[in-house]
Coordinates of all heavy atoms in Angstrom, one line a residue:
I1 N 24.1 49.8 -9.1 CA 22.9 49.3 -9.7 C 22.0 50.4 -10.1 O 21.8 51.3 -9.2 CB 22.1 48.4 -8.7 CG1 23.1 47.2 -8.2 CG2 20.9 47.8 -9.3 CD1 22.5 46.4 -7.1
H2 N 21.6 50.5 -11.3 CA 21.0 51.7 -11.8 C 19.8 51.4 -12.8 O 19.9 50.4 -13.5 CB 22.0 52.6 -12.5 CG 21.6 53.9 -12.9 ND1 20.8 54.7 -12.1 CD2 21.8 54.6 -14.1 CE1 20.6 55.9 -12.8 NE2 21.1 55.8 -14.0
Y3 N 18.8 52.2 -12.8 CA 17.7 52.2 -13.8 C 18.0 53.2 -14.8 O 17.9 54.4 -14.5 CB 16.4 52.4 -13.1 CG 16.0 51.3 -12.1 CD1 16.5 51.4 -10.8 CD2 15.3 50.2 -12.4 CE1 16.2 50.4 -9.8 CE2 15.0 49.2 -11.5 CZ 15.4 49.3 -10.2 OH 15.1 48.4 -9.3
T4 N 18.3 52.8 -16.0 CA 18.6 53.8 -17.1 C 17.3 54.2 -17.8 O 16.3 53.5 -17.7 CB 19.5 53.2 -18.1 OG1 18.9 52.0 -18.7 CG2 20.8 52.7 -17.5
P5 N 17.3 55.3 -18.5 CA 16.1 55.8 -19.2 C 15.6 54.7 -20.2 O 14.4 54.6 -20.4 CB 16.5 57.1 -19.9 CG 17.7 57.5 -19.1 CD 18.4 56.3 -18.6
G6 N 16.5 54.1 -20.9 CA 16.2 53.0 -21.8 C 17.2 51.9 -21.7 O 18.2 52.1 -21.0
K7 N 17.1 50.9 -22.5 CA 18.1 49.7 -22.3 C 19.5 50.0 -22.8 O 20.4 49.4 -22.3 CB 17.5 48.5 -23.0 CG 16.3 47.9 -22.4 CD 15.8 46.7 -23.2 CE 14.7 46.0 -22.5 NZ 14.3 44.7 -23.2
R8 N 19.6 51.0 -23.6 CA 20.9 51.2 -24.3 C 21.8 52.3 -23.7 O 22.9 52.5 -24.1 CB 20.7 51.4 -25.8 CG 20.0 52.7 -26.1 CD 19.5 52.8 -27.5 NE 20.7 53.0 -28.4 CZ 20.6 53.1 -29.7 NH1 19.4 53.1 -30.3 NH2 21.7 53.3 -30.5
W9 N 21.3 53.1 -22.7 CA 22.1 54.2 -22.2 C 22.5 53.8 -20.8 O 21.7 53.5 -19.9 CB 21.2 55.4 -22.2 CG 20.9 55.9 -23.5 CD1 21.8 56.6 -24.4 CD2 19.7 55.8 -24.3 NE1 21.2 56.9 -25.6 CE2 19.9 56.4 -25.5 CE3 18.5 55.2 -24.0 CZ2 18.9 56.5 -26.5 CZ3 17.5 55.2 -24.9 CH2 17.7 55.9 -26.2
D10 N 23.8 54.0 -20.5 CA 24.3 53.7 -19.2 C 24.6 55.0 -18.4 O 25.2 54.9 -17.3 CB 25.5 52.8 -19.2 CG 26.7 53.5 -20.0 OD1 26.4 54.6 -20.5 OD2 27.8 52.9 -20.0
S11 N 24.2 56.1 -18.9 CA 24.5 57.4 -18.2 C 23.5 57.6 -17.0 O 22.4 57.1 -17.0 CB 24.4 58.5 -19.2 OG 25.4 58.4 -20.2
L12 N 23.9 58.5 -16.1 CA 23.1 58.8 -14.9 C 22.3 60.0 -15.2 O 22.6 61.1 -14.7 CB 24.0 59.0 -13.7 CG 24.8 57.7 -13.2 CD1 26.0 58.1 -12.5 CD2 23.8 56.9 -12.4
Y13 N 21.3 59.9 -16.0 CA 20.4 61.0 -16.4 C 19.6 61.5 -15.2 O 18.8 60.7 -14.7 CB 19.5 60.7 -17.5 CG 20.2 60.6 -18.9 CD1 20.7 59.4 -19.4 CD2 20.3 61.7 -19.7 CE1 21.3 59.4 -20.6 CE2 20.9 61.7 -20.9 CZ 21.4 60.5 -21.4 OH 22.0 60.5 -22.6
T14 N 19.9 62.7 -14.7 CA 19.3 63.1 -13.5 C 17.7 63.3 -13.6 O 17.0 62.7 -12.7 CB 19.9 64.5 -13.0 OG1 21.3 64.3 -13.0 CG2 19.4 64.8 -11.6
W15 N 17.3 64.0 -14.5 CA 15.8 64.3 -14.6 C 15.0 63.1 -15.0 O 13.9 62.8 -14.5 CB 15.6 65.5 -15.4 CG 15.1 65.4 -16.8 CD1 15.9 65.2 -17.9 CD2 13.8 65.6 -17.3 NE1 15.1 65.3 -19.1 CE2 13.8 65.5 -18.7 CE3 12.6 65.9 -16.7 CZ2 12.7 65.6 -19.5 CZ3 11.4 66.0 -17.5 CH2 11.5 65.9 -18.9
D16 N 15.6 62.3 -16.0 CA 14.9 61.1 -16.3 C 14.7 60.1 -15.1 O 13.7 59.5 -15.0 CB 15.7 60.3 -17.4 CG 15.9 61.1 -18.7 OD1 16.6 62.1 -18.6 OD2 15.4 60.7 -19.7
S17 N 15.8 60.0 -14.3 CA 15.8 59.1 -13.2 C 14.7 59.5 -12.1 O 14.1 58.6 -11.5 CB 17.1 59.0 -12.5 OG 18.0 58.4 -13.5
G18 N 14.5 60.8 -11.9 CA 13.4 61.2 -11.0 C 12.1 60.8 -11.5 O 11.2 60.3 -10.7
M19 N 11.9 60.8 -12.8 CA 10.6 60.4 -13.4 C 10.5 58.8 -13.3 O 9.4 58.3 -13.0 CB 10.5 60.8 -14.8 CG 10.5 62.3 -15.1 SD 9.4 63.3 -14.0 CE 7.8 62.7 -14.4
I20 N 11.6 58.1 -13.5 CA 11.6 56.7 -13.3 C 11.2 56.3 -11.9 O 10.4 55.4 -11.6 CB 12.9 56.1 -13.6 CG1 13.2 56.2 -15.1 CG2 13.0 54.6 -13.2 CD1 14.6 55.8 -15.5
G21 N 11.7 57.1 -10.9 CA 11.4 56.8 -9.5 C 9.9 57.1 -9.2 O 9.3 56.3 -8.4
L22 N 9.3 58.1 -9.8 CA 7.9 58.4 -9.6 C 7.1 57.2 -10.1 O 6.1 56.8 -9.6 CB 7.5 59.7 -10.3 CG 7.9 60.9 -9.5 CD1 7.9 62.1 -10.5 CD2 7.0 61.2 -8.3
G23 N 7.5 56.6 -11.3 CA 6.8 55.5 -11.8 C 7.0 54.3 -11.0 O 6.0 53.5 -10.7
M24 N 8.2 54.0 -10.5 CA 8.5 52.9 -9.7 C 7.8 53.0 -8.3 O 7.5 51.9 -7.7 CB 10.0 52.9 -9.4 CG 10.5 51.6 -8.6 SD 10.3 50.1 -9.6 CE 11.7 50.3 -10.7
L25 N 7.5 54.2 -7.9 CA 6.7 54.3 -6.6 C 5.4 53.6 -6.6 O 5.0 53.1 -5.5 CB 6.5 55.8 -6.4 CG 5.8 56.3 -5.1 CD1 6.5 55.7 -3.9 CD2 5.7 57.8 -5.1
E26 N 4.8 53.4 -7.7 CA 3.5 52.7 -7.8 C 3.7 51.2 -7.6 O 2.7 50.5 -7.4 CB 2.8 53.0 -9.1 CG 2.6 54.4 -9.4 CD 1.8 55.2 -8.3 OE1 1.1 54.5 -7.5 OE2 2.0 56.4 -8.2
Y27 N 4.9 50.7 -7.6 CA 5.1 49.2 -7.6 C 6.0 48.9 -6.4 O 5.9 47.9 -5.7 CB 5.8 48.7 -8.9 CG 5.0 49.1 -10.1 CD1 5.3 50.2 -10.8 CD2 3.8 48.4 -10.4 CE1 4.5 50.6 -11.9 CE2 3.1 48.7 -11.5 CZ 3.4 49.8 -12.2 OH 2.6 50.2 -13.3
S28 N 7.0 49.7 -6.1 CA 8.0 49.4 -5.0 C 8.5 50.7 -4.4 O 9.5 51.3 -5.0 CB 9.2 48.6 -5.5 OG 10.1 48.4 -4.5
P29 N 7.9 51.2 -3.3 CA 8.4 52.4 -2.7 C 9.9 52.3 -2.3 O 10.7 53.3 -2.3 CB 7.5 52.6 -1.5 CG 6.3 51.9 -1.8 CD 6.7 50.7 -2.7
E30 N 10.3 51.1 -2.0 CA 11.7 50.9 -1.6 C 12.7 51.2 -2.7 O 13.7 51.8 -2.6 CB 11.9 49.4 -1.1 CG 11.2 49.1 0.2 CD 9.7 48.9 0.0 OE1 9.3 48.6 -1.2 OE2 8.9 48.9 1.0
R31 N 12.3 50.7 -3.9 CA 13.2 50.9 -5.1 C 13.1 52.4 -5.5 O 14.1 52.9 -6.0 CB 12.8 50.0 -6.2 CG 13.1 48.5 -5.9 CD 13.0 47.6 -7.1 NE 13.2 46.2 -6.8 CZ 13.4 45.3 -7.7 NH1 13.3 45.6 -9.0 NH2 13.6 44.1 -7.3
A32 N 12.0 53.0 -5.3 CA 11.8 54.4 -5.7 C 12.7 55.2 -4.8 O 13.4 56.2 -5.2 CB 10.4 54.8 -5.5
E33 N 12.8 54.9 -3.5 CA 13.7 55.6 -2.6 C 15.1 55.3 -2.9 O 15.9 56.3 -2.9 CB 13.4 55.1 -1.1 CG 14.2 55.9 -0.1 CD 14.0 55.3 1.3 OE1 13.0 54.6 1.5 OE2 14.8 55.7 2.2
Y34 N 15.4 54.1 -3.4 CA 16.8 53.8 -3.8 C 17.2 54.7 -4.9 O 18.4 55.3 -5.0 CB 17.0 52.4 -4.1 CG 18.3 52.0 -4.8 CD1 19.5 51.8 -4.1 CD2 18.3 52.0 -6.2 CE1 20.7 51.6 -4.8 CE2 19.5 51.8 -6.9 CZ 20.7 51.5 -6.1 OH 21.9 51.3 -6.8
I35 N 16.3 54.8 -5.9 CA 16.6 55.7 -7.1 C 16.9 57.1 -6.7 O 17.8 57.8 -7.2 CB 15.5 55.6 -8.1 CG1 15.4 54.1 -8.7 CG2 15.6 56.6 -9.2 CD1 14.1 53.9 -9.5
M36 N 16.1 57.6 -5.8 CA 16.2 59.0 -5.3 C 17.6 59.1 -4.5 O 18.3 60.1 -4.8 CB 15.1 59.3 -4.4 CG 15.2 60.7 -3.7 SD 13.9 60.9 -2.5 CE 14.6 59.9 -1.1
D37 N 17.8 58.2 -3.6 CA 19.0 58.3 -2.8 C 20.3 58.3 -3.6 O 21.3 59.0 -3.2 CB 19.0 57.1 -1.8 CG 20.2 57.1 -0.9 OD1 20.2 57.8 0.1 OD2 21.2 56.4 -1.2
L38 N 20.3 57.6 -4.7 CA 21.5 57.5 -5.6 C 22.0 58.9 -6.0 O 23.2 59.1 -6.3 CB 21.2 56.6 -6.8 CG 22.4 56.3 -7.7 CD1 23.5 55.6 -7.0 CD2 21.9 55.5 -8.9
Y39 N 21.1 59.8 -6.2 CA 21.4 61.1 -6.8 C 21.7 62.2 -5.7 O 22.0 63.3 -6.0 CB 20.3 61.6 -7.7 CG 20.3 60.9 -9.0 CD1 19.8 59.6 -9.1 CD2 20.9 61.4 -10.1 CE1 19.8 58.9 -10.2 CE2 21.0 60.7 -11.3 CZ 20.4 59.4 -11.3 OH 20.5 58.7 -12.5
L40 N 21.7 61.8 -4.4 CA 21.9 62.8 -3.4 C 23.3 62.7 -2.8 O 24.0 61.6 -3.0 CB 20.9 62.5 -2.2 CG 19.4 62.6 -2.6 CD1 18.6 62.3 -1.5 CD2 19.1 64.0 -3.2
S41 N 23.8 63.7 -2.1 CA 25.1 63.8 -1.6 C 25.1 64.1 -0.1 O 24.4 65.0 0.3 CB 26.0 64.8 -2.3 OG 27.2 65.0 -1.8
E42 N 25.9 63.3 0.7 CA 25.9 63.5 2.1 C 26.6 64.8 2.4 O 27.5 65.4 1.6 CB 26.7 62.4 2.8 CG 26.0 61.0 2.7 CD 26.2 60.3 1.4 OE1 26.9 60.9 0.5 OE2 25.6 59.2 1.2
E43 N 26.4 65.4 3.6 CA 27.0 66.7 3.9 C 28.5 66.7 3.9 O 29.2 67.6 3.6 CB 26.5 67.1 5.3 CG 25.0 67.5 5.3 CD 24.6 67.9 6.7 OE1 24.4 67.0 7.6 OE2 24.4 69.2 7.0
E44 N 29.1 65.5 4.3 CA 30.5 65.4 4.4 C 31.2 65.2 3.1 O 32.4 65.3 2.9 CB 30.9 64.3 5.4 CG 30.5 62.9 5.0 CD 29.2 62.5 5.4 OE1 28.4 63.4 5.8 OE2 28.9 61.3 5.3

């Protein structure tokens, strides 16, 4: 489940998504955290 920069792009744009998360933070901190978590990698 992903928030794209616009309706027509399905790519995982890294820097666009960080900005989307910052905007989402004003409405849903939970979804903002989800957006952030999607781009991170576990140690293993």
